[in-house]
Amino acid sequence: MKRPTINRLRFLGALSIAALLSACAPDKQTDANKKEETGINTEQTKSTAQAPPLIDRQLLFGNPSRFQGRLSPDGKMMSFRAPLNGVMNLWVAPAGDIDSAKPVTRDTGRGIPSHFWALDSRHLLYIRDRDGDENWHLYAVDLDNNKITDLSPFDGVQAQMVAQSETHPGTVIVGMNDRDPRWHDLYKVDLKTAGRELLQENDGFAQFFLDHDLKLRLATESTPSGGYRVYEFADDDWLEVFEVDFEDALTTHILGFDGDNTGFYMLDSRGRDKAALVHYALDSGHKVVIAESNKADIANVLMHPRRHLPIAYAINFETNAWIPLDGAYTEDLATLEKQVRGDFNILGSTLDASQWVLYTDSAAAAPRYQVFDTRDNTLSTLFTTHPKLATLPLAKMYPLVLSARDGRDLVSYLTLPADLDQGGSLAAPIPMVLLVHGGPWGRDSFGFDPEAQWLANRGYAVLQVNFRASTGFGKGFVNAGNGEWAGAMHNDLVDAVDWAIAEGIASPDEVAIMGASYGGYATLVGLTFTPEKFACGVDVVGPSSLNTLISSIPPYWESFRSTLHAAVGNPDTEEGRKLLTERSPLHRADKIVRPLLIGQGANDPRVKQAESDQIVAAMKAREIPVTYILYPDEGHGFQKPENRLSFFAAAEAFLSDCLGGRYQPFGDDLKGSSVQVVHGATFIPGLQRALMNSKILATNTVEDTDE
């Protein structure tokens, strides 16, 4: 999930609603006009006189120059996403010759979010939905003629890429839920014609696994307790292999088959706290632990694409570290680590494992996509994602481990304004923004973060906390969040804020909370369960009611329903319904005494528009100020750069009014956006004026062409 901001109004005693509204209206607007001209909060002029120049929002939230670098499996070609007429499209070039790159797609809507290569090195595959509805279609680009084929040409259907094999070129295995929206049937699909052949009709399996000959071998099925069972397809029947209990369900996953298709690799937390890399032999049921750590779960595994053996694995506690498994690559990894600046992740390799594609990141510089050649141990750069940031004063990120009130370690990250940073500390407290990650089954990691850089450049300390239920730190840490939405999970965030105040990082009355998805929910919790703790909050696509959230999950989440009930609350029981109601910010909307900004995508299938509508309605009914921004062509988060820019422009003005930080004028940042301010434009300085000065038209996605 993600992040956002608002104005520090205090509701004191019997303060009248008229006085409350006036605090955001005419007088505020006069000061906002000064800000619009100068780009600086006039109350902060003295403290910001020596601050570095404002980094233009366009450089952080607009399209990157290039992104998502890939090598073809044979190593001869490279691909990446880059703007074409302002929209992220796919480009291809001979490996190492980026200047000759040409676009192979011409999307004119929200852009292409993700792509990968077919193992035949002739086809490029990508996914795309319609205006954020997450009904992903899978497309193939034939690089011989640049013809684009929709491999799942059915309206309202979600496609899932399941498998491919080097020994079956021109074929992919795809799941599609056109027969029953809850379950994805399994099809063999031809890359050229999109012709499909049914392999398995699905009436309850969550996942399928095929071996390297594309034979269907394994499937998983959810259990009522929230765990799952693994089945093997043998003798024309599904036979149970083993069961994974609920406590291991989020930390135990099958990775894929071994080289001779007789067993498989998995990340397995059963019988231990941290997920280990394990090999499971199907004939005997024998398990061998290949690698494990007492610090964190194994985060990633680099497999040899042809031999199907693990080459190395990664552990990500505070930062990412790679450890070799295959002795032939030990020296390669050691040499690579000496050459890389900052953290790195190995995204994949060519089929012969001779070239590895890396994402390298020092947090205080734009990330790079690089290629490490194991044949001569050379490291070359494909491209830098944001080259215009190279000369700008980016802030450092500091990993740290905080203690929750019950003693649990909370791996966190602190980013400070470059001009005030004294090696991770400050001479005096400053305003702070608590950025809360989504999921909640995800995590914050060390690395370049556009939002953290943006906020630090505007004069704020930025704290990101891996609260309990975050993944990567063992099943005990994940399961400590069960039943603790708005409970211990929120306490972890409060404890982190208290640490920042005690350390002289944050001013007690100048801390904002913002986030998206679960982070948006955490923002609403912060303003309703601890209403005096935060000066303001920014919520993007955050659920306001856990009851309606769970009752409206997409049909294709059916296999995850029991896990969701076990982790959050079960609406089928009286106790569960009571818990969900008690932990829903909607039912505490009358407690809000701080400004709130809400951003929502109208097509969000996970956190539906109703989640934002209903809390805004509750606040309006109680005459509590709130600003509500809606995007009719977005889903779970904002993908279009025009929409991102418009929202972060509003959030920046909101935060400046709330915390007193620096503020870049709106300028043209609403241009081309579909932004709709449903309520409360006057509560954000400069927003109403920017809307009046811009021609705001709702945009719709234009379909792909095969040109």
Side-chain angles (χ1 to χ4, degrees), residues 280-553:
Y280 186 94
L282 277 168
D283 55 352
S284 64
H286 182 59
K287 285 198 312 180
V288 175
V289 176
I290 299 171
E292 59 184 326
S293 168
N294 60 7
K295 290 279 289 181
D297 297 330
I298 289 181
N300 204 350
V301 180
L302 175 63
M303 303 290 294
H304 193 295
R306 279 201 173 119
R307 294 165 53 206
H308 307 294
L309 289 171
I311 293 174
Y313 66 96
I315 298 294
N316 191 351
F317 186 62
E318 294 179 59
T319 56
N320 208 38
W322 282 89
I323 300 97
L325 282 169
D326 188 323
Y329 295 96
T330 300
E331 184 178 341
D332 297 311
L333 268 172
T335 304
L336 173 59
E337 288 177 350
K338 293 176 183 177
Q339 297 183 58
V340 171
R341 291 183 298 166
D343 252 24
F344 69 92
N345 199 10
I346 305 175
L347 304 178
S349 81
T350 52
L351 283 169
D352 61 2
S354 66
Q355 298 179 78
W356 303 345
V357 178
L358 277 61
Y359 179 85
T360 62
D361 190 351
S362 66
R368 296 181 177 187
Y369 283 86
Q370 297 184 281
V371 175
F372 182 69
D373 195 320
T374 63
R375 294 168 296 191
D376 56 10
N377 282 351
T378 56
L379 182 65
S380 59
T381 296
L382 287 177
F383 56 80
T384 300
T385 60
H386 299 75
K388 292 182 179 180
L389 295 176
T391 60
L392 298 177
L394 297 183
K396 292 182 179 179
M397 175 182 279
Y398 295 93
L400 46 94
V401 181
L402 310 179
S403 291
R405 63 189 65 180
D406 64 356
R408 291 187 186 275
D409 287 341
L410 307 175
V411 174
S412 305
Y413 301 92
L414 178 66
T415 305
L416 300 174
D419 57 314
L420 302 177
D421 184 4
Q422 298 183 354
S425 63
L426 297 170
I430 61 174
M432 186 178 84
V433 177
L434 179 71
L435 286 182
V436 186
H437 72 69
W441 303 291
R443 63 163 294 173
D444 282 313
S445 296
F446 179 83
F448 176 78
D449 187 317
E451 290 179 46
Q453 291 293 339
W454 163 62
L455 292 167
N457 179 257
R458 271 44 174 176
Y460 308 119
V462 184
L463 185 60
Q464 297 167 276
V465 183
N466 285 305
F467 49 87
R468 69 194 66 203
S470 300
T471 54
F473 307 103
K475 69 183 182 187
F477 194 78
V478 170
N479 290 319
N482 294 339
E484 294 296 338
W485 287 42
M489 292 164 69
H490 182 60
N491 291 342
D492 289 346
L493 299 175
V494 171
D495 293 346
V497 170
D498 289 343
W499 169 86
I501 293 170
E503 289 292 313
I505 299 294
S507 302
D509 60 345
E510 294 182 315
V511 178
I513 181 171
M514 62 188 292
S517 196
Y518 178 85
Y521 166 81
T523 296
L524 297 178
V525 168
L527 269 59
T528 54
F529 284 74
T530 50
E532 301 283 345
K533 190 69 178 179
F534 299 98
C536 52
V538 181
D539 152 36
V540 176
V541 297
S544 61
S545 167
L546 298 183
N547 302 89
T548 54
L549 171 73
I550 291 179
S551 66
S552 63
I553 61 172

Side-chain angles (χ1 to χ4, degrees), residues 103-181:
V104 295
T105 63
R106 298 185 181 277
D107 191 282
T108 56
R110 297 172 74 241
I112 293 170
S114 184
H115 85 287
F116 49 98
W117 282 86
L119 293 181
D120 62 7
S121 294
R122 285 186 51 197
H123 291 85
L124 206 58
L125 305 176
Y126 69 92
I127 60 170
R128 181 182 178 280
D129 68 353
R130 183 188 295 273
D131 293 342
D133 64 5
E134 295 189 15
N135 285 323
W136 301 107
H137 282 223
L138 179 66
Y139 296 85
V141 184
D142 188 334
L143 297 181
D144 287 342
N145 52 28
N146 286 353
K147 180 183 177 183
I148 298 175
T149 302
D150 186 349
L151 302 179
S152 52
F154 309 102
D155 289 338
V157 170
Q158 186 195 70
Q160 296 179 347
M161 178 69 183
V162 177
Q164 59 174 322
S165 172
E166 185 185 6
T167 60
H168 293 265
T171 297
V172 289
I173 307 302
V174 183
M176 299 184 219
N177 61 344
D178 52 318
R179 182 185 58 85
D180 185 333

Side-chain angles (χ1 to χ4, degrees), residues 178-194:
D178 52 318
R179 182 185 58 85
D180 185 333
R182 297 173 301 170
W183 311 108
H184 287 72
D185 295 334
L186 209 58
Y187 292 92
K188 181 184 293 185
V189 180
D190 187 284
L191 290 177
K192 286 188 174 295
T193 67

Side-chain angles (χ1 to χ4, degrees), residues 653-686:
F654 171 73
L655 283 176
S656 177
D657 198 41
C658 169
L659 300 179
R662 302 194 300 164
Y663 163 44
Q664 178 186 351
F666 277 90
D668 293 330
D669 281 3
L670 302 190
K671 185 178 180 181
S673 169
S674 66
V675 59
Q676 296 179 358
V677 183
V678 179
H679 180 73
T682 58
F683 298 148
I684 295 182

Side-chain angles (χ1 to χ4, degrees), residues 675-698:
V675 59
Q676 296 179 358
V677 183
V678 179
H679 180 73
T682 58
F683 298 148
I684 295 182
L687 177 56
Q688 190 171 47
R689 181 180 179 184
L691 289 166
M692 291 170 58
N693 291 340
S694 302
K695 295 181 179 179
I696 304 300
L697 299 174

Side-chain angles (χ1 to χ4, degrees), residues 612-622:
S612 292
D613 287 351
Q614 60 194 5
I615 195 163
V616 170
M619 294 176 68
K620 287 173 63 179
R622 295 170 173 84

